[in-house]
Amino acid sequence: MRFYSPSQAAEQTGFSLDTLRYYERIGLLHSIDRTAGGRRRYSDNDLGWLRLLRCLRDTGMPIAEMIRFARLTRDSEATVPERLAVLEGHDARIEERIARLREQQTQIRGKIDIYRSRQQTPPSPVA
Amino acid sequence: MRFYSPSQAAEQTGFSLDTLRYYERIGLLHSIDRTAGGRRRYSDNDLGWLRLLRCLRDTGMPIAEMIRFARLTRDSEATVPERLAVLEGHDARIEERIARLREQQTQIRGKIDIYRSRQQTPPSPVA
DNA sequence: CCTTGACCTGGAGCCCACTCCGGGTGTGAG
DNA sequence: CTCACACCCGGAGTGGGCTCCAGGTCAAGG
């Protein structure tokens, strides 16, 4: 079983050291192992979990919901349906979000086209 | 030329009254007309601009950049290329964002599949 | 005239998600 | 042994983007 120092974990997950400690404080990370001297050592498992958190976070899941999910994950196997519901709901939100982004992109592109055509006929020599 | 009360503008753009005033304060809205008594009256033009702002905002453009864009829009016609650059850059960011969302969605769906299979073999009747 | 409700202002407050700080501790190189 | 450096902790501070508040004003109905 490999272990990783805080800075290695930070590097591999893209979270800052402060954020890693913050996540632990608020209950997103559970029971991170420590060395004799009290330093954290992250396991491969921890990194996997952190990568999932990163994915959820980057797709816009609020911290509060991640905490809920983390708690479920710590609880019994019986919570699997609930965890599934969280992920499925999130997946649906991502889907909607992409659809909306596409629509909005279309609008912005319309605006771009307007500017482009305005640029191609700039002097407008009326005289 | 039609005019709209603050609450009508709010309703039509999806911004709150407070947000409309806030946007004006920080320079996102320029010279909103007033009635004799000092109340704002938004024109069709204003609403159009607000709808563009809403689109930019919802696609993640930071306020600071919108302010820059608003200033350019207030300046001479000579800033059209710059405005174009802002919108094109933003369009590109939206594109990237959608691509990343798709990737991340794929990861999340992978996780969902794992949970699903875990759920379909719950009793595991070893005996 | 009086009331009511939408609107006005400047400024304070709030929420989220970090990020920074200061003072202390362990560990490996030289 | 000493140094440097990565790490520890609790708590305060930050930045973005609103949101709320108090105390006042205007406009339309009765």
Side-chain angles (χ1 to χ4, degrees):
Chain A
M1 224 294 216
R2 285 214 51 193
F3 283 107
Y4 307 84
S5 72
S7 54
Q8 287 172 326
E11 192 188 349
Q12 289 203 30
T13 62
F15 291 119
S16 74
L17 293 173
D18 270 318
T19 300
L20 288 175
R21 279 186 296 104
Y22 166 65
Y23 277 9
E24 205 175 327
R25 272 213 292 266
I26 64 176
L28 275 180
L29 267 59
H30 196 49
S31 63
I32 298 298
D33 200 15
R34 301 292 183 119
T35 67
R39 274 80 201 287
R40 290 173 182 79
R41 358 181 264 168
Y42 296 86
S43 68
D44 285 303
N45 241 330
D46 295 332
L47 292 199
W49 173 247
L50 280 166
R51 274 189 277 269
L52 176 56
L53 290 184
R54 172 135 288 279
C55 191
L56 296 175
R57 194 73 210 71
D58 286 353
T59 49
M61 183 180 286
I63 296 277
E65 193 174 351
M66 297 204 303
I67 291 175
R68 221 170 63 74
F69 185 67
R71 251 199 295 275
L72 290 175
T73 302
R74 241 178 272 131
D75 286 359
S76 83
E77 196 69 5
T79 66
V80 167
E82 246 183 294
R83 294 182 229 170
L84 206 39
V86 169
L87 293 186
E88 283 168 344
H90 189 60
D91 175 55
R93 278 195 301 279
I94 294 172
E95 194 64 39
E96 282 167 32
R97 192 110 152 289
I98 290 173
R100 280 206 70 214
L101 280 175
R102 279 271 173 246
E103 284 173 26
Q104 291 161 334
Q105 194 182 36
T106 301
Q107 278 194 62
I108 288 168
R109 286 184 175 171
K111 199 74 187 167
I112 288 175
D113 288 344
I114 291 171
Y115 274 127
R116 283 206 182 118
S117 59
R118 222 207 272 194
Q119 207 181 18
Q120 272 154 17
T121 41
S124 166
V126 179
Chain B
M1 195 63 108
R2 284 214 51 193
F3 284 106
Y4 306 85
S5 72
S7 56
Q8 286 172 326
E11 192 187 351
Q12 290 204 29
T13 62
F15 291 119
S16 73
L17 293 172
D18 271 317
T19 300
L20 287 175
R21 281 184 294 103
Y22 166 66
Y23 277 9
E24 205 174 329
R25 274 213 291 268
I26 65 175
L28 275 180
L29 267 58
H30 195 49
S31 64
I32 296 299
D33 199 16
R34 301 289 183 121
T35 67
R39 275 78 202 287
R40 291 174 181 79
R41 354 182 267 169
Y42 296 86
S43 69
D44 285 304
N45 240 331
D46 295 331
L47 292 199
W49 173 246
L50 279 167
R51 274 187 277 268
L52 177 56
L53 289 184
R54 172 135 288 277
C55 192
L56 296 176
R57 195 73 211 64
D58 287 352
T59 49
M61 183 180 286
I63 296 276
E65 192 173 351
M66 298 203 304
I67 290 175
R68 220 170 63 74
F69 184 68
R71 252 199 295 275
L72 289 175
T73 302
R74 243 176 270 132
D75 286 359
S76 85
E77 196 70 5
T79 65
V80 167
E82 247 182 292
R83 295 182 229 169
L84 207 38
V86 169
L87 293 186
E88 283 168 343
H90 189 59
D91 176 55
R93 278 195 300 280
I94 294 172
E95 195 65 39
E96 283 166 34
R97 192 112 151 291
I98 290 174
R100 280 205 69 214
L101 280 174
R102 279 271 174 245
E103 283 172 29
Q104 291 162 333
Q105 195 183 34
T106 302
Q107 278 194 62
I108 289 167
R109 287 183 174 171
K111 199 73 186 169
I112 288 174
D113 288 344
I114 290 170
Y115 275 126
R116 283 206 181 118
S117 59
R118 221 207 273 191
Q119 207 183 16
Q120 272 154 16
T121 42
S124 164
V126 180

